[in-house]
Amino acid sequence: MAELLCSKCNQKKPGLSETPLPNELGEKVRNQSCESCWQEWVAQQLMIMNEYRLDPMNDDHSLFLDKEMIKFLNLK
Ligand SMILES: [Zn+2]
């Protein structure tokens, strides 16, 4: 697995083996985030969804989650 400089933990670590989302944001995650930070976000996302009772099928909610993910992973 190719290593990358993760924009969240700022360390050179293995990246994701697959693009996690089928869009531009997914490409950014794959290029900028390590596997372990991605797993952290997956857990964090579940907490946020439970806390705010979000429905990923709802466009507004999914936009909100995207913004939270960009902040969390420090995506550029
Ligand atoms: Zn990382």
Coordinates of all heavy atoms in Angstrom, one line a residue:
M1 N 0.8 -1.2 0.0 CA 0.0 0.0 0.0 C 0.9 1.3 0.0 O 1.8 1.4 0.8 CB -0.9 0.0 1.3 CG -1.9 1.1 1.3 SD -3.3 0.6 0.4 CE -3.7 -1.0 1.1
A2 N 0.6 2.2 -0.9 CA 1.3 3.4 -0.9 C 1.1 4.3 0.3 O 0.0 4.4 0.8 CB 0.9 4.2 -2.2
E3 N 2.2 4.9 0.8 CA 2.1 5.8 1.9 C 1.8 7.2 1.5 O 2.2 7.6 0.4 CB 3.3 5.8 2.8 CG 3.6 4.4 3.4 CD 4.4 4.5 4.7 OE1 5.2 5.4 4.8 OE2 4.2 3.7 5.6
L4 N 1.1 7.9 2.3 CA 0.8 9.3 2.0 C 1.0 10.2 3.2 O 0.9 9.6 4.3 CB -0.5 9.5 1.4 CG -1.7 8.9 2.1 CD1 -2.2 9.7 3.3 CD2 -2.9 8.7 1.1
L5 N 1.1 11.5 3.0 CA 1.2 12.4 4.2 C -0.3 12.7 4.5 O -0.9 13.4 3.7 CB 2.0 13.6 3.8 CG 2.2 14.6 5.0 CD1 3.0 13.9 6.1 CD2 2.9 15.8 4.5
C6 N -0.7 12.2 5.6 CA -2.1 12.4 6.0 C -2.4 13.8 6.5 O -1.6 14.3 7.3 CB -2.5 11.4 7.1 SG -4.1 11.6 7.7
S7 N -3.4 14.5 6.0 CA -3.6 15.9 6.4 C -4.3 16.0 7.8 O -4.3 17.1 8.3 CB -4.5 16.6 5.3 OG -5.6 15.9 4.9
K8 N -4.8 14.9 8.3 CA -5.3 15.0 9.7 C -4.2 14.7 10.7 O -3.9 15.6 11.6 CB -6.4 14.0 9.9 CG -6.9 14.0 11.4 CD -8.2 13.3 11.6 CE -8.5 13.3 13.1 NZ -8.8 14.6 13.6
C9 N -3.5 13.6 10.6 CA -2.5 13.2 11.7 C -1.1 13.7 11.3 O -0.2 13.7 12.1 CB -2.5 11.7 12.0 SG -2.1 10.7 10.6
N10 N -1.0 14.2 10.1 CA 0.3 14.8 9.6 C 1.5 13.8 9.7 O 2.6 14.2 10.0 CB 0.6 16.0 10.5 CG 1.4 17.1 9.6 OD1 1.3 17.1 8.4 ND2 2.1 17.9 10.3
Q11 N 1.1 12.5 9.4 CA 2.2 11.5 9.4 C 2.1 10.8 8.1 O 1.1 10.7 7.5 CB 1.9 10.5 10.5 CG 2.1 11.1 11.9 CD 1.7 10.0 13.0 OE1 2.2 8.9 12.9 NE2 0.9 10.4 13.9
K12 N 3.2 10.2 7.7 CA 3.3 9.3 6.5 C 2.8 8.0 6.9 O 3.4 7.2 7.6 CB 4.7 9.3 6.0 CG 5.1 10.4 5.1 CD 6.1 10.0 4.1 CE 5.9 10.7 2.8 NZ 6.8 10.3 1.7
K13 N 1.6 7.6 6.4 CA 1.0 6.4 6.7 C 0.3 5.8 5.5 O 0.0 6.5 4.5 CB 0.0 6.6 7.9 CG 0.7 6.9 9.2 CD -0.3 7.4 10.2 CE -1.0 6.2 10.9 NZ -1.8 6.6 12.0
P14 N 0.0 4.5 5.6 CA -0.7 3.8 4.4 C -2.1 4.5 4.2 O -2.8 4.8 5.1 CB -0.9 2.4 4.9 CG 0.1 2.2 6.0 CD 0.2 3.5 6.6
G15 N -2.4 4.7 2.9 CA -3.7 5.3 2.6 C -4.7 4.2 2.4 O -4.5 3.0 2.7
L16 N -5.9 4.6 1.9 CA -7.0 3.7 1.7 C -6.7 2.9 0.5 O -6.2 3.4 -0.5 CB -8.3 4.4 1.6 CG -9.0 4.9 2.9 CD1 -8.2 6.0 3.5 CD2 -10.4 5.2 2.7
S17 N -7.2 1.6 0.5 CA -7.0 0.8 -0.7 C -8.0 1.1 -1.8 O -7.8 0.8 -3.0 CB -7.1 -0.7 -0.3 OG -8.2 -0.9 0.4
E18 N -9.2 1.7 -1.3 CA -10.2 2.0 -2.3 C -10.7 3.4 -2.0 O -10.7 3.9 -0.9 CB -11.4 1.0 -2.2 CG -11.1 -0.3 -2.8 CD -12.2 -1.3 -2.5 OE1 -13.2 -0.9 -1.9 OE2 -12.1 -2.4 -3.0
T19 N -11.2 4.1 -3.0 CA -11.9 5.4 -2.8 C -13.2 5.1 -2.0 O -14.0 4.3 -2.5 CB -12.2 6.0 -4.2 OG1 -11.0 6.0 -5.0 CG2 -12.7 7.4 -4.0
P20 N -13.3 5.8 -0.9 CA -14.4 5.4 0.0 C -15.7 6.0 -0.4 O -16.8 5.5 0.0 CB -14.0 6.1 1.4 CG -13.1 7.2 1.0 CD -12.4 6.8 -0.3
L21 N -15.8 7.0 -1.3 CA -17.0 7.6 -1.7 C -17.0 7.7 -3.2 O -15.9 8.1 -3.7 CB -17.3 8.9 -1.1 CG -17.3 9.0 0.5 CD1 -17.1 10.4 1.0 CD2 -18.6 8.4 1.0
P22 N -18.0 7.5 -3.9 CA -18.0 7.6 -5.4 C -18.1 9.0 -5.9 O -18.9 9.3 -6.8 CB -19.2 6.7 -5.8 CG -20.2 7.0 -4.7 CD -19.4 7.2 -3.4
N23 N -17.3 9.9 -5.4 CA -17.4 11.3 -5.8 C -16.0 12.0 -5.6 O -15.1 11.4 -5.2 CB -18.5 12.1 -5.1 CG -18.4 12.0 -3.6 OD1 -17.3 11.8 -3.1 ND2 -19.5 12.1 -2.9
E24 N -16.0 13.3 -5.9 CA -14.8 14.1 -5.8 C -14.2 14.1 -4.4 O -13.0 14.0 -4.2 CB -15.1 15.5 -6.2 CG -13.9 16.3 -6.7 CD -14.2 17.8 -6.9 OE1 -15.3 18.0 -7.4 OE2 -13.3 18.6 -6.7
L25 N -15.1 14.1 -3.4 CA -14.7 14.1 -2.0 C -14.0 12.8 -1.7 O -13.0 12.8 -0.9 CB -16.0 14.3 -1.2 CG -15.8 15.0 0.2 CD1 -15.0 16.3 0.1 CD2 -17.2 15.2 0.8
G26 N -14.5 11.7 -2.2 CA -13.9 10.4 -2.0 C -12.5 10.4 -2.5 O -11.6 9.8 -1.9
E27 N -12.3 11.0 -3.7 CA -10.9 11.1 -4.2 C -10.0 11.9 -3.3 O -8.8 11.5 -3.1 CB -10.9 11.8 -5.6 CG -11.6 11.1 -6.7 CD -10.7 9.9 -7.1 OE1 -9.5 10.0 -7.1 OE2 -11.3 8.8 -7.5
K28 N -10.5 13.0 -2.7 CA -9.7 13.8 -1.8 C -9.4 12.9 -0.6 O -8.2 13.0 -0.1 CB -10.5 15.0 -1.3 CG -10.6 16.1 -2.4 CD -11.2 17.3 -1.8 CE -11.2 18.4 -2.9 NZ -11.6 19.7 -2.3
V29 N -10.3 12.2 -0.1 CA -10.0 11.4 1.1 C -8.9 10.4 0.8 O -8.0 10.2 1.5 CB -11.3 10.6 1.6 CG1 -11.0 9.6 2.6 CG2 -12.4 11.6 2.1
R30 N -9.1 9.8 -0.4 CA -8.1 8.8 -0.8 C -6.7 9.4 -0.9 O -5.7 8.7 -0.6 CB -8.5 8.1 -2.1 CG -7.6 6.9 -2.3 CD -8.2 5.9 -3.3 NE -7.2 4.8 -3.4 CZ -7.1 4.0 -4.5 NH1 -8.0 4.2 -5.5 NH2 -6.3 3.1 -4.5
N31 N -6.6 10.6 -1.4 CA -5.3 11.3 -1.6 C -4.8 11.9 -0.4 O -3.6 12.2 -0.3 CB -5.5 12.3 -2.7 CG -5.7 11.7 -4.1 OD1 -5.3 10.6 -4.4 ND2 -6.5 12.5 -4.9
Q32 N -5.6 12.2 0.6 CA -5.1 13.0 1.7 C -5.2 12.4 3.1 O -4.8 12.9 4.1 CB -5.9 14.4 1.7 CG -5.7 15.2 0.5 CD -6.5 16.4 0.5 OE1 -6.7 17.1 1.5 NE2 -7.1 16.9 -0.7
S33 N -5.9 11.2 3.2 CA -6.2 10.7 4.5 C -5.6 9.3 4.6 O -5.7 8.5 3.7 CB -7.7 10.6 4.8 OG -8.3 11.9 4.7
C34 N -5.1 9.0 5.8 CA -4.6 7.6 6.0 C -5.8 6.7 6.5 O -6.8 7.2 6.9 CB -3.5 7.6 7.1 SG -4.1 7.9 8.8
E35 N -5.5 5.4 6.4 CA -6.5 4.4 6.7 C -7.1 4.6 8.1 O -8.2 4.6 8.4 CB -6.0 3.0 6.5 CG -6.8 1.9 7.0 CD -8.0 1.6 6.1 OE1 -8.0 1.9 4.9 OE2 -9.1 1.2 6.7
S36 N -6.1 4.8 9.1 CA -6.6 4.9 10.5 C -7.4 6.1 10.8 O -8.4 6.1 11.5 CB -5.4 4.7 11.5 OG -4.4 5.6 11.2
C37 N -7.0 7.3 10.2 CA -7.9 8.5 10.3 C -9.2 8.3 9.7 O -10.2 8.8 10.2 CB -7.2 9.7 9.8 SG -5.8 10.2 10.8
W38 N -9.3 7.6 8.6 CA -10.6 7.3 7.9 C -11.4 6.5 8.8 O -12.6 6.8 9.0 CB -10.4 6.6 6.6 CG -11.7 6.2 6.0 CD1 -12.1 4.9 5.9 CD2 -12.7 7.0 5.5 NE1 -13.3 4.8 5.3 CE2 -13.8 6.1 5.1 CE3 -12.9 8.4 5.3 CZ2 -14.9 6.6 4.5 CZ3 -14.1 8.8 4.8 CH2 -15.1 7.9 4.4
Q39 N -10.8 5.5 9.5 CA -11.6 4.7 10.4 C -12.1 5.5 11.6 O -13.2 5.3 12.1 CB -10.8 3.5 10.9 CG -10.4 2.4 9.8 CD -11.7 1.9 9.1 OE1 -12.8 1.8 9.7 NE2 -11.5 1.5 7.9
E40 N -11.3 6.4 12.0 CA -11.7 7.3 13.1 C -13.0 8.1 12.7 O -13.9 8.3 13.4 CB -10.6 8.3 13.5 CG -9.7 7.9 14.6 CD -8.7 9.0 14.9 OE1 -9.1 10.2 15.1 OE2 -7.5 8.7 14.9
W41 N -12.9 8.6 11.4 CA -14.0 9.4 10.9 C -15.3 8.5 10.8 O -16.4 8.9 11.2 CB -13.7 10.0 9.6 CG -15.0 10.5 8.9 CD1 -15.6 10.0 7.8 CD2 -15.9 11.5 9.4 NE1 -16.8 10.6 7.5 CE2 -17.0 11.6 8.5 CE3 -15.9 12.4 10.5 CZ2 -18.0 12.5 8.6 CZ3 -16.9 13.3 10.6 CH2 -18.0 13.3 9.7
V42 N -15.2 7.3 10.4 CA -16.3 6.4 10.3 C -17.0 6.2 11.6 O -18.2 6.3 11.7 CB -15.9 5.0 9.7 CG1 -17.0 4.0 9.8 CG2 -15.4 5.1 8.3
A43 N -16.2 6.1 12.7 CA -16.8 6.0 14.0 C -17.4 7.3 14.4 O -18.5 7.3 15.0 CB -15.7 5.6 15.0
Q44 N -16.7 8.4 14.2 CA -17.2 9.7 14.5 C -18.5 10.0 13.8 O -19.4 10.6 14.4 CB -16.1 10.8 14.1 CG -16.5 12.2 14.3 CD -16.3 12.7 15.7 OE1 -15.8 11.9 16.6 NE2 -16.7 13.9 16.0
Q45 N -18.5 9.7 12.5 CA -19.7 9.9 11.7 C -21.0 9.2 12.3 O -22.0 9.8 12.4 CB -19.5 9.4 10.3 CG -20.7 9.6 9.4 CD -20.4 9.2 8.0 OE1 -20.4 10.0 7.1 NE2 -20.0 8.0 7.7
L46 N -20.8 8.0 12.8 CA -21.9 7.3 13.4 C -22.4 8.0 14.7 O -23.6 8.2 14.9 CB -21.4 5.9 13.9 CG -21.6 4.8 12.9 CD1 -21.1 3.5 13.4 CD2 -23.1 4.6 12.5
M47 N -21.4 8.6 15.5 CA -21.8 9.3 16.6 C -22.6 10.6 16.3 O -23.6 10.9 16.9 CB -20.6 9.7 17.5 CG -20.0 8.5 18.2 SD -18.7 8.8 19.4 CE -18.3 10.6 19.2
I48 N -22.1 11.3 15.2 CA -22.8 12.5 14.8 C -24.2 12.2 14.3 O -25.2 12.8 14.6 CB -22.0 13.2 13.7 CG1 -20.6 13.7 14.2 CG2 -22.8 14.4 13.1 CD1 -19.7 14.3 13.1
M49 N -24.3 11.1 13.5 CA -25.6 10.7 13.0 C -26.6 10.4 14.1 O -27.7 10.7 14.0 CB -25.4 9.5 12.0 CG -24.8 10.0 10.7 SD -24.4 8.6 9.6 CE -26.0 7.9 9.3
N50 N -26.1 9.7 15.1 CA -27.0 9.4 16.2 C -27.3 10.6 17.0 O -28.5 10.8 17.3 CB -26.3 8.4 17.1 CG -26.2 7.0 16.5 OD1 -27.1 6.7 15.7 ND2 -25.3 6.2 16.9
E51 N -26.3 11.5 17.2 CA -26.6 12.7 18.0 C -27.6 13.6 17.4 O -28.5 14.1 18.0 CB -25.2 13.4 18.2 CG -25.3 14.5 19.3 CD -23.9 15.1 19.5 OE1 -22.9 14.4 19.3 OE2 -23.9 16.3 19.9
Y52 N -27.4 13.8 16.1 CA -28.3 14.8 15.4 C -29.4 14.0 14.7 O -30.2 14.7 13.9 CB -27.5 15.6 14.4 CG -26.5 16.5 15.0 CD1 -25.1 16.1 15.1 CD2 -26.8 17.8 15.5 CE1 -24.2 17.0 15.6 CE2 -25.9 18.6 16.0 CZ -24.6 18.2 16.1 OH -23.6 19.0 16.7
R53 N -29.5 12.7 14.8 CA -30.5 11.9 14.2 C -30.6 12.2 12.7 O -31.6 12.5 12.1 CB -31.9 12.2 14.7 CG -32.0 11.9 16.2 CD -33.4 12.2 16.8 NE -33.4 12.0 18.2 CZ -33.5 10.8 18.9 NH1 -33.6 9.8 18.2 NH2 -33.4 10.8 20.2
L54 N -29.4 12.0 12.0 CA -29.3 12.3 10.6 C -29.6 11.1 9.8 O -29.4 10.0 10.1 CB -27.8 12.7 10.3 CG -27.3 14.0 11.0 CD1 -25.9 14.3 10.5 CD2 -28.2 15.2 10.8
D55 N -30.2 11.4 8.6 CA -30.5 10.4 7.6 C -29.6 10.6 6.4 O -29.7 11.6 5.7 CB -32.0 10.6 7.2 CG -32.4 9.6 6.1 OD1 -31.6 8.8 5.7 OD2 -33.5 9.8 5.7
P56 N -28.7 9.7 6.1 CA -27.7 9.9 5.0 C -28.4 10.0 3.7 O -27.8 10.4 2.7 CB -26.8 8.7 5.1 CG -27.5 7.7 6.0 CD -28.5 8.4 6.8
M57 N -29.7 9.6 3.6 CA -30.4 9.7 2.3 C -31.0 11.1 2.1 O -31.4 11.5 1.0 CB -31.6 8.7 2.3 CG -31.2 7.3 2.2 SD -30.0 7.1 0.8 CE -29.7 5.4 0.9
N58 N -31.0 11.9 3.2 CA -31.5 13.3 3.1 C -30.4 14.2 2.6 O -29.3 14.2 3.2 CB -32.0 13.7 4.6 CG -32.4 15.1 4.6 OD1 -31.7 16.0 4.2 ND2 -33.5 15.3 5.2
D59 N -30.6 14.9 1.6 CA -29.6 15.7 0.9 C -28.9 16.7 1.9 O -27.7 16.9 1.9 CB -30.1 16.4 -0.3 CG -30.3 15.5 -1.5 OD1 -29.8 14.4 -1.4 OD2 -30.9 15.9 -2.5
D60 N -29.8 17.4 2.6 CA -29.3 18.4 3.6 C -28.4 17.7 4.6 O -27.3 18.3 5.0 CB -30.4 19.1 4.3 CG -31.2 20.1 3.4 OD1 -30.6 20.4 2.4 OD2 -32.3 20.4 3.7
H61 N -28.8 16.6 5.1 CA -28.0 15.9 6.1 C -26.7 15.4 5.6 O -25.7 15.5 6.2 CB -28.8 14.7 6.7 CG -30.0 15.1 7.5 ND1 -30.8 14.2 8.1 CD2 -30.6 16.3 7.7 CE1 -31.8 14.8 8.7 NE2 -31.7 16.1 8.5
S62 N -26.8 14.9 4.3 CA -25.6 14.4 3.7 C -24.6 15.5 3.4 O -23.3 15.3 3.6 CB -25.9 13.5 2.5 OG -25.4 14.0 1.4
L63 N -25.1 16.7 3.1 CA -24.2 17.9 2.9 C -23.5 18.3 4.2 O -22.4 18.6 4.3 CB -25.1 19.0 2.4 CG -24.4 20.0 1.4 CD1 -24.0 19.3 0.1 CD2 -25.3 21.1 1.1
F64 N -24.3 18.2 5.3 CA -23.8 18.5 6.6 C -22.7 17.5 7.0 O -21.6 17.9 7.5 CB -24.9 18.5 7.6 CG -24.5 18.6 9.1 CD1 -24.2 19.8 9.6 CD2 -24.4 17.5 9.9 CE1 -23.8 20.0 10.9 CE2 -24.1 17.6 11.2 CZ -23.7 18.9 11.7
L65 N -22.9 16.3 6.7 CA -21.9 15.2 7.0 C -20.6 15.5 6.2 O -19.5 15.3 6.7 CB -22.5 13.8 6.8 CG -23.3 13.3 7.9 CD1 -24.0 12.0 7.4 CD2 -22.5 13.1 9.2
D66 N -20.8 15.8 4.9 CA -19.7 16.1 4.1 C -18.8 17.2 4.7 O -17.6 17.1 4.8 CB -20.1 16.6 2.7 CG -20.5 15.4 1.8 OD1 -20.4 14.2 2.3 OD2 -21.0 15.6 0.7
K67 N -19.5 18.3 5.2 CA -18.7 19.4 5.8 C -18.0 19.0 7.0 O -16.9 19.4 7.3 CB -19.7 20.6 6.1 CG -20.1 21.3 4.9 CD -20.9 22.6 5.3 CE -21.5 23.2 4.0 NZ -22.8 23.9 4.4
E68 N -18.7 18.2 7.8 CA -18.1 17.7 9.1 C -16.8 16.8 8.7 O -15.8 16.9 9.4 CB -19.1 16.9 9.9 CG -20.2 17.7 10.5 CD -19.6 18.8 11.5 OE1 -18.8 18.4 12.4 OE2 -19.9 20.0 11.3
M69 N -17.0 16.0 7.7 CA -15.9 15.1 7.3 C -14.7 16.0 6.8 O -13.5 15.7 7.1 CB -16.3 14.2 6.2 CG -15.2 13.2 5.7 SD -15.8 12.0 4.6 CE -15.7 13.0 3.1
I70 N -14.9 17.0 6.0 CA -13.9 17.9 5.5 C -13.1 18.5 6.7 O -11.9 18.6 6.7 CB -14.4 18.9 4.6 CG1 -14.9 18.3 3.3 CG2 -13.4 20.0 4.3 CD1 -15.7 19.2 2.4
K71 N -13.9 19.0 7.7 CA -13.3 19.5 8.9 C -12.5 18.5 9.7 O -11.3 18.7 10.1 CB -14.3 20.1 9.8 CG -14.7 21.5 9.6 CD -15.5 22.1 10.7 CE -17.0 21.7 10.6 NZ -17.8 22.2 11.7
F72 N -13.1 17.3 9.9 CA -12.5 16.3 10.7 C -11.2 15.8 10.0 O -10.1 15.7 10.7 CB -13.4 15.1 10.8 CG -12.9 14.0 11.7 CD1 -13.2 14.1 13.1 CD2 -12.3 12.9 11.2 CE1 -12.7 13.1 13.9 CE2 -11.8 11.9 12.0 CZ -12.0 12.0 13.4
L73 N -11.2 15.6 8.7 CA -10.0 15.0 8.1 C -9.1 16.1 7.6 O -8.0 15.8 7.0 CB -10.4 14.1 6.9 CG -11.2 12.8 7.3 CD1 -11.7 12.1 6.1 CD2 -10.3 11.9 8.1
N74 N -9.5 17.4 7.8 CA -8.7 18.5 7.3 C -8.4 18.4 5.8 O -7.2 18.6 5.4 CB -7.4 18.5 8.2 CG -6.7 19.9 8.1 OD1 -7.3 20.9 7.8 ND2 -5.4 19.9 8.4
L75 N -9.4 18.1 5.0 CA -9.2 18.0 3.6 C -9.1 19.3 2.9 O -9.7 20.3 3.3 CB -10.4 17.3 3.0 CG -10.7 15.9 3.5 CD1 -12.0 15.3 2.8 CD2 -9.5 14.9 3.2
K76 N -8.2 19.4 1.9 CA -8.0 20.6 1.2 C -8.6 20.6 -0.2 O -8.7 19.5 -0.8 CB -6.5 20.9 1.1 CG -6.0 21.3 2.4 CD -4.5 21.2 2.4 CE -3.9 21.2 3.8 NZ -3.8 19.9 4.4
Ligands
ZN1 ZN -4.0 10.1 9.4

